[in-house]
Amino acid sequence: FSIFARESLKKGTLLTGLVVLILVGFFGSVFTKLQVDYLLAVWFYVMLWIVYTQGLSPGTVARLGLPVCFLFLIKEIGLFLAVLVLLIMTAQLLFERNRTGKDRAAALALVCFTGLGLWGIKQLWVGHCEAMGFGAFGGRMGLTEIRAAFNFAADPAMREAGLLFLKTLILGEADRLNLPYVCWYLALGFGALRLWTGETALRQRRLGRGLGVCLFGLALYLVMIYLLQVTVFKVGVRNHHIIGFERYMNILFVPLVLFILTALAERRLSRRPPSARITAVFFGVVLLVLGASRLETSLKREPWYDIADTLAGKIHAAAD
C-alpha cells in the first residue's frame, strides 16, 4: 500500500504487481511459507521507498518509528536493518536543505527517540532471555574469533572458507531462477545509473545518501555472514560448502532490487501512463504466478522438510 499510486489505479496496480513478482522470484511461495526473511525484506524496502519519495517530515518520521522497532521483533537481524533505517533518516535530515530548521530538529529528535525505543526493546528482550535461562549464545564471537576468521595467510581452512564465500557471493544462485548474483549486480548498477541521470537534484541527493548507507550496510552485513559461516557453521573446517547464503543475503539484497526496479518503473509509468488492457493482462499474470507458487512447496521441497517429517514421525511413534 505504501507504493500504490493514489492518483492512478493502473499505475499503482502495476507497481504493486511488480513487487509481488520480484518477491516470488527471489523467495518462492512467500504467501504459503512460515518464514520471516521476506517480511524483513518487504518492511525494509517500504521504508526506503517512503524516505525516497516522501522525504522526512516530523509526521513521516513518527509514522516510521513503530515499524522500525518492530523489525527487531520479527527476527533479531531486524535490529541491524532498523539501525540502517535510522542512519539513512539521519543522513537525509542532516543534509537535506529544503526543510526549515524547526522541522529538521523535530524530525531528528523523533529519530533519536525511535533509536532509544529500539534500544529499550533490545534490553527487554535480553532480560527476558536471561530470566528464561538463556544467558549467552554458545558460538559467541569475540576479537580472537574474528582475527582467526580472517587469518587467510596462515590458516588453510580460513583460506578455503574465504574462497568459497567469494565464489558464492559472485556466482551463487541469487533467486529461484538460479541466476548468479553477478548478473544482478550488473543489472542494479546499470539501473541505479539510469535512475540517477533522470532524477531531480533533490531526489539525486536522496538517492546518493540512501544507497551510500545501504551499500555500507551491505558490506558490513557480508562480513557478518562470513563470520557466521566460519564461526558457527565451521565452513572450511567441518563443512566445505557455504550454508544458506541466499537466505541470509537476500534479506538485505532484495530490498535494493525492489527499490531500484520499482523506482525505474514508477518514473516510466509517470511519463507514459499504462492502458487498461496492459494493466489487466499484467494483473492476470501476477495472479497466475501467485497460483503457481502455491505448488512450489510440493514441486521443490526444501531439504529440511524431509528432516522435519522424519522427526515428526519419530515423535508420533513415541507418543503412541
Side-chain angles (χ1 to χ4, degrees):
F1 289 125
S2 67
I3 68 166
F4 204 92
R6 287 170 290 183
E7 72 278 5
S8 171
L9 178 64
K10 291 180 289 186
K11 178 180 172 182
T13 301
L14 288 172
L15 288 176
T16 306
L18 177 63
V19 171
V20 171
L21 289 181
I22 294 171
L23 284 172
V24 172
F26 271 93
F27 292 109
S29 53
V30 295
F31 297 101
T32 58
K33 285 185 175 178
L34 295 176
Q35 293 180 1
V36 297
D37 297 339
Y38 71 90
L39 288 177
L40 285 173
V42 170
W43 280 77
F44 185 68
Y45 155 71
V46 164
M47 293 178 197
L48 290 180
W49 183 260
I50 290 173
V51 172
Y52 178 65
T53 56
Q54 298 182 21
L56 287 172
S57 66
T60 302
V61 176
R63 286 193 296 272
L64 289 175
L66 282 178
V68 167
C69 294
F70 284 145
L71 285 174
F72 170 67
L73 300 178
I74 295 173
K75 192 173 185 178
E76 192 161 5
I77 192 60
L79 179 67
F80 180 76
L81 299 182
V83 171
L84 277 186
V85 173
L86 293 176
L87 288 176
I88 291 170
M89 290 196 291
T90 301
Q92 301 291 18
L93 288 168
L94 287 177
F95 299 105
E96 193 159 301
R97 299 172 183 171
N98 67 323
R99 297 209 173 275
T100 65
K102 186 177 180 180
D103 274 0
R104 186 186 301 178
L108 278 171
L110 287 170
V111 170
C112 294
F113 181 75
T114 303
L116 288 174
L118 183 65
W119 179 83
I121 291 175
K122 170 66 175 174
Q123 296 309 306
L124 286 173
W125 178 247
V126 170
H128 170 72
C129 291
E130 290 176 348
M132 296 295 291
F134 300 99
F137 177 48
R140 199 169 209 166
M141 299 176 198
L143 287 176
T144 303
E145 289 79 12
I146 292 174
R147 289 196 196 99
F150 289 100
N151 188 15
F152 302 125
D155 192 339
M158 294 304 99
R159 193 156 54 244
E160 178 189 356
L163 289 173
L164 284 171
F165 188 82
L166 184 61
K167 180 181 177 182
T168 306
L169 178 62
I170 297 173
L171 300 176
E173 298 171 352
D175 51 38
R176 313 302 278 194
L177 298 177
N178 301 330
L179 291 176
Y181 277 103
V182 66
C183 294
W184 283 103
Y185 301 150
L186 294 173
L188 292 183
F190 177 75
L193 183 62
R194 289 290 302 272
L195 189 60
W196 174 271
T197 55
E199 288 292 17
T200 62
L202 174 62
R203 281 204 174 186
Q204 280 185 345
R205 290 193 293 268
R206 285 181 186 171
L207 180 65
R209 289 189 291 264
L211 288 183
V213 174
C214 284
L215 291 177
F216 168 76
L218 183 60
L220 184 59
Y221 186 54
L222 287 171
V223 173
M224 293 165 62
I225 296 176
Y226 172 73
L227 291 173
L228 175 74
Q229 297 288 331
V230 171
T231 307
V232 179
F233 297 154
K234 303 299 180 184
V235 172
V237 180
R238 286 202 304 261
N239 294 304
H240 301 282
H241 62 281
I242 300 297
I243 300 171
F245 178 82
E246 175 191 344
R247 176 183 174 188
Y248 301 112
M249 171 71 163
N250 285 349
I251 291 175
L252 185 51
F253 185 66
V254 170
L256 299 179
V257 176
L258 287 169
F259 173 75
I260 291 177
L261 293 185
T262 50
L264 285 170
E266 190 251 358
R267 192 171 72 188
R268 184 173 181 83
L269 292 172
S270 298
R271 293 174 178 175
R272 187 177 179 181
S275 67
R277 180 177 296 180
I278 290 176
T279 305
V281 170
F282 189 76
F283 186 69
V285 169
V286 172
L287 291 178
L288 182 64
V289 170
L290 285 176
S293 72
R294 292 186 63 86
L295 302 174
E296 188 202 21
T297 51
S298 58
L299 296 176
K300 186 179 179 180
R301 283 177 61 84
E302 303 288 359
W304 53 79
Y305 289 172
D306 296 326
I307 298 173
D309 287 344
T310 302
L311 290 174
K314 291 180 179 180
I315 293 171
H316 253 299
D320 293 339

